[in-house]
Amino acid sequence: MCGIVGYIGEKQAAPILLESLSKLEYRGYDSAGVAVLDGGDINIVKAKGKLSCLAEKTDGGKNVAGTCGIGHTRWATHGEPSELNAHPHRNEGGTIVAVHNGIIENYIQQKSKLTRLGYTFYSDTDTEVATKIVDYYYKKYGDPLKAISNFILKVRGSYALAVMFSDHPDEIYAVRKDNPMIIGVTESESFLASDVPAILNYTRKVYYVGNEEIVCLKKGQADFFNLDGEKIQKQISNITWDAEKAEKGGYPHFMLKEIHEQPKVISDTLNCFIKNGEINLSEVGLTNKEIKKYSGIVIAACGSAYHVGVVMQYVFESLVRIPVRVELASEFRYRNPVMNKSQLFIVISQSGETADSLAALRLAKSAGLSTLAIVNVLGSTIAREANKVLYTKAGPEISVATTKAYSAQLIAGYVLALRFARVRKTASKEELKSLVAELSGLPEKVQSILDKKNSMQRFASSMAGKKDVFFIGRGVDYAICLEGSLKLKEISYIHSEAYAAGELKHGTISLIEDGTLVIGVLTQPDTIEKTASNLEETKTRGANVATLSFGSRKITGDVKFTIPQVNPYFAASLAVVPLQLFAYYVSVLRGNDVDKPRNLAKSVTVE
Ligand code: F6R
């Protein structure tokens, strides 16, 4: 997810672009850049790292002259974070520049086509390709509108694109499809941005750009056109809410926003790895030959990412019949573990910077294992150092407590397991087909759970005063408990434990007393009865019992939550959602700083 901005008016553009970009940093940042038109010259300045690096390089924008410009904060998707890959991108002569948010899906085909026509490329980005497509059609038709409408016809994917042409020094052109873009105007200025907060300091008069609408911005004027170049009339809106609220898309906290983004994140990640109804790992570069040769898998990760590993262990061992070891990276690195070169080492990390996970990866590499990283942040250290990378498509996660990145990691684990099962022939074609269909149905099911979030809010309000909470389950349910319990303790500060249900009576049951909350997760058909009996045991000792299940069997419980039926392998993707909501609402009720819980950091780059 990137952020784009544009300004044209009487004032110097660069300081305004930087200020506006600072309001979009929540969309992710690994590099930033601005391009400013001064007369007929376009000056581009880019910097790797946070926006502050760009601000430093340009003296807060003061040393980039001109009153018309575009800017960008990048969250890398194509090509590692670097100054070269940072936006704005330009054509050969630097007479056309563009910033882009989104993904051009057919950029490789378009790149080859342009290469055949004599174009060369300096970056790995789809945006440079987009810029050069516009360049090609601008040279052909000499008209920005025609160049952009041809761009729309040629590309597949999503985009919010802003373009400047040096021979149109008082104009910015923009277009969008399936990526946000708004236009703001005052008497003498016009603004463009990915999101409203970027321009709220300057205006509250906003146009929402529709899909495939082209905008031409002039000082204090915005003209809208359709694909045929015909002018269209747009309604202006007056923004009445405040900036902070807007960055969260109307949600009170990033965590709640990110919980609600999960259907999209799951479907974005699935779309990358399911092609024509089959799992396709060509993006990862894991060959069938490699998949066949591994004697086992070692997974290492920390926190929630480790919990994904625990789910993966159950799914892989059951579906692929390959031995899997899951390790806490912080323990693994100091244990002198026995490893075997024929094993595959998988490290899971949202940030790609977690110190312990990185150390575990280096240890596995030095022991000669093939390594695969499941990572969310493109170009992060773990992504760079692993032999292969599977990128999750969660987008930037702001809330310290992970939700959508965890969900995307689960999907990564499932697609890997299904591909292994296919190549190693441990599941029939029919079984795999039905599992792929189940995966494709997950976003809708997650959405249906979110639609009923009020029941979890009510439950949370009756439980927010608890001192101790236990989560119990077996198999995948135990893995779900680990995540549910971590979510609760890290943001509500309530003491909570996840227990493998069968372990309770080996000591822990002595902690159960009147009013202790015990949440049973019961999605795995083979163990439901067993866990249900363990819940009974706690109930007789005074516990308040709540259950989370598919609702297909009668289970004792004071409060029962049900989730849609799904293949039990994928239960974690659904069951985690009510538990995330539970933790969230309890934290809110207790007046905690939900997005920034005490003592915690988003990226743990120290031991
Ligand atoms: C919990 C949480 C942490 C992270 C852990 C690993 O909500 O976010 O437990 O999962 O610190 O971080 P990454 O995935 O960045 O390696």
Side-chain angles (χ1 to χ4, degrees):
M1 222 164 67
C2 307
I4 69 171
V5 295
Y7 171 81
I8 177 162
E10 304 293 346
K11 299 187 191 124
Q12 287 299 299
I16 295 176
L17 295 173
L18 287 173
E19 215 274 327
S20 300
L21 284 174
S22 71
K23 300 291 190 313
L24 296 179
E25 270 200 306
Y26 75 89
R27 298 175 68 84
Y29 46 80
D30 51 46
S31 52
V34 290
V36 179
L37 239 167
D38 192 18
D41 294 327
I42 300 180
N43 188 0
I44 303 176
V45 190
K46 310 192 220 181
K48 190 180 165 195
K50 289 190 176 181
L51 189 60
S52 53
C53 304
L54 180 67
E56 213 169 283
K57 202 166 174 181
T58 59
D59 190 15
K62 286 201 226 70
N63 61 21
V64 194
T67 56
C68 173
I70 52 180
H72 189 267
T73 53
R74 178 164 188 251
W75 199 80
T77 57
H78 291 78
E80 61 166 21
S82 67
E83 204 167 304
L84 203 63
N85 287 331
H87 303 208
H89 285 284
R90 55 173 173 75
N91 68 346
E92 180 98 30
T95 53
I96 297 179
V97 289
V99 289
H100 163 232
N101 166 34
I103 293 178
I104 308 291
E105 285 167 11
N106 61 339
Y107 86 103
I108 292 181
Q109 290 103 299
Q110 294 296 329
K111 193 172 181 175
S112 329
K113 201 169 137 193
L114 289 169
T115 307
R116 284 199 296 279
L117 291 165
Y119 279 80
T120 53
F121 293 86
Y122 56 83
S123 76
D124 305 319
T125 63
D126 52 346
T127 306
E128 188 192 349
V129 178
T131 313
K132 288 180 176 170
I133 297 173
V134 174
D135 175 71
Y136 174 78
Y137 287 106
Y138 188 62
K139 286 200 173 108
K140 193 163 177 178
Y141 297 111
D143 174 6
L145 279 182
K146 280 213 175 109
I148 293 175
S149 49
N150 274 280
F151 163 85
I152 299 174
L153 295 173
K154 287 290 169 292
V155 301
R156 258 198 343 266
S158 61
Y159 47 82
L161 182 83
V163 194
M164 292 195 305
F165 299 83
S166 64
D167 50 2
H168 287 256
D170 297 317
E171 289 169 352
I172 299 173
Y173 286 83
V175 64
R176 83 163 194 105
K177 181 168 172 260
D178 299 334
N179 257 290
M181 184 191 287
I182 54 108
I183 303 296
V185 283
T186 68
E187 282 286 298
S188 57
E189 300 164 302
S190 300
F191 302 83
L192 164 161
S194 301
D195 203 355
V196 174
I199 62 167
L200 274 187
N201 275 352
Y202 308 102
T203 181
R204 289 183 167 267
K205 298 233 173 310
V206 161
Y207 292 104
Y208 291 94
V209 185
N211 261 352
E212 299 190 346
E213 286 176 1
I214 306 171
V215 198
C216 171
L217 293 184
K218 296 182 181 153
K219 292 178 186 177
Q221 185 183 332
D223 297 317
F224 292 82
F225 301 89
N226 64 17
L227 253 175
D228 295 327
E230 296 156 350
K231 233 177 175 172
I232 43 180
Q233 291 309 314
K234 296 282 289 182
Q235 194 77 27
I236 203 156
S237 310
N238 198 19
I239 302 294
T240 49
W241 27 260
D242 62 74
E244 215 223 337
K245 210 163 156 192
E247 280 170 44
K248 292 173 188 150
Y251 290 99
H253 299 98
F254 281 111
M255 184 176 176
L256 192 60
K257 176 171 180 259
E258 287 160 5
I259 288 174
H260 280 81
E261 282 169 0
Q262 290 178 115
K264 174 149 191 333
V265 161
I266 292 174
S267 98
D268 286 352
T269 307
L270 284 174
N271 286 341
C272 281
F273 303 111
I274 300 182
K275 305 260 156 46
N276 305 320
E278 286 231 25
I279 305 294
N280 180 321
L281 296 181
S282 52
E283 185 182 307
V284 184
L286 197 58
T287 64
N288 290 355
K289 203 168 151 208
E290 286 168 314
I291 291 176
K292 274 184 200 151
K293 78 165 196 229
Y294 297 123
S295 66
I297 299 176
V298 180
I299 303 174
C302 299
S304 296
Y306 167 78
H307 300 158
V308 171
V310 180
V311 175
M312 281 173 72
Q313 181 181 42
Y314 286 113
V315 177
F316 261 93
E317 291 207 325
S318 168
L319 191 64
V320 189
R321 306 305 298 151
I322 186 171
V324 179
R325 225 163 83 199
V326 201
E327 303 267 0
L328 289 165
S330 52
E331 286 292 310
F332 182 74
R333 62 183 295 194
Y334 292 118
R335 226 194 46 226
N336 194 11
V338 177
M339 285 181 274
N340 181 324
K341 282 188 182 142
S342 62
Q343 290 169 317
L344 169 67
F345 179 86
I346 302 180
V347 56
I348 311 171
S349 175
Q350 186 285 126
S351 61
E353 302 294 347
T354 302
D356 287 320
S357 305
L358 179 60
L361 168 67
R362 288 180 177 159
L363 191 65
K365 268 183 97 175
S366 67
L369 276 74
S370 319
T371 58
L372 165 68
I374 297 176
V375 173
N376 195 40
V377 178
L378 200 123
S380 53
T381 313
I382 289 178
R384 287 202 310 271
E385 293 200 12
N387 302 129
K388 296 191 189 342
V389 188
L390 189 162
Y391 282 111
T392 50
K393 313 288 170 186
E397 197 176 53
I398 310 296
S399 169
V400 166
T402 184
T403 51
K404 62 174 181 168
Y406 167 89
S407 283
Q409 288 165 351
L410 282 177
I411 299 298
Y414 302 151
V415 296
L416 276 174
L418 263 56
R419 186 68 203 159
F420 269 65
R422 168 100 166 86
V423 174
R424 295 169 74 111
K425 298 192 171 43
T426 54
S428 69
K429 277 195 175 152
E430 291 65 44
E431 192 183 351
L432 288 168
K433 202 169 151 201
S434 115
L435 288 171
V436 170
E438 290 257 7
L439 280 181
S440 306
L442 284 176
E444 206 177 306
K445 291 180 178 171
V446 170
Q447 186 57 52
S448 75
I449 299 170
L450 293 171
D451 291 343
K452 291 192 209 125
K453 62 177 185 263
N454 289 353
S455 59
M456 201 31 104
Q457 189 170 12
R458 275 193 299 277
F459 177 63
S461 58
S462 62
M463 296 293 159
K466 292 284 177 201
K467 283 222 306 288
D468 299 290
V469 181
F470 288 82
F471 292 78
I472 65 166
R474 282 177 166 76
V476 169
D477 287 336
Y478 170 55
I480 298 167
C481 288
L482 287 169
E483 181 58 9
S485 172
L486 178 62
K487 283 289 87 81
L488 183 69
K489 68 185 123 196
E490 72 178 321
I491 60 169
S492 75
Y493 317 147
I494 293 177
H495 165 250
S496 130
E497 309 241 8
Y499 251 81
E503 278 292 298
L504 265 191
K505 54 170 85 69
H506 297 288
T508 318
I509 201 160
S510 63
L511 292 170
I512 306 291
E513 54 189 22
D514 264 354
T516 305
L517 174 60
V518 181
I519 299 179
V521 181
L522 305 110
T523 67
Q524 303 300 300
D526 298 345
T527 55
I528 286 182
E529 259 91 45
K530 304 267 174 225
T531 305
S533 314
N534 299 131
L535 284 171
E536 280 291 349
E537 288 155 16
T538 64
K539 201 166 157 50
T540 10
R541 284 154 183 86
N544 295 143
V545 169
T547 59
L548 184 57
S549 73
F550 295 135
S552 47
R553 296 197 210 172
K554 271 201 164 345
I555 312 158
T556 334
D558 304 314
V559 188
K560 295 174 193 168
F561 292 100
T562 58
I563 50 172
Q565 189 75 44
V566 73
N567 185 294
Y569 285 138
F570 309 140
S573 289
L574 302 187
V576 78
V577 181
L579 301 183
Q580 293 167 341
L581 288 166
F582 176 58
Y584 169 77
Y585 286 121
V586 170
S587 174
V588 171
L589 286 158
R590 290 168 73 104
N592 297 350
D593 188 349
V594 178
D595 288 330
K596 292 196 190 92
R598 68 187 182 203
N599 311 336
L600 289 171
K602 183 72 187 156
S603 182
V604 188
T605 51
V606 289
E607 288 184 46

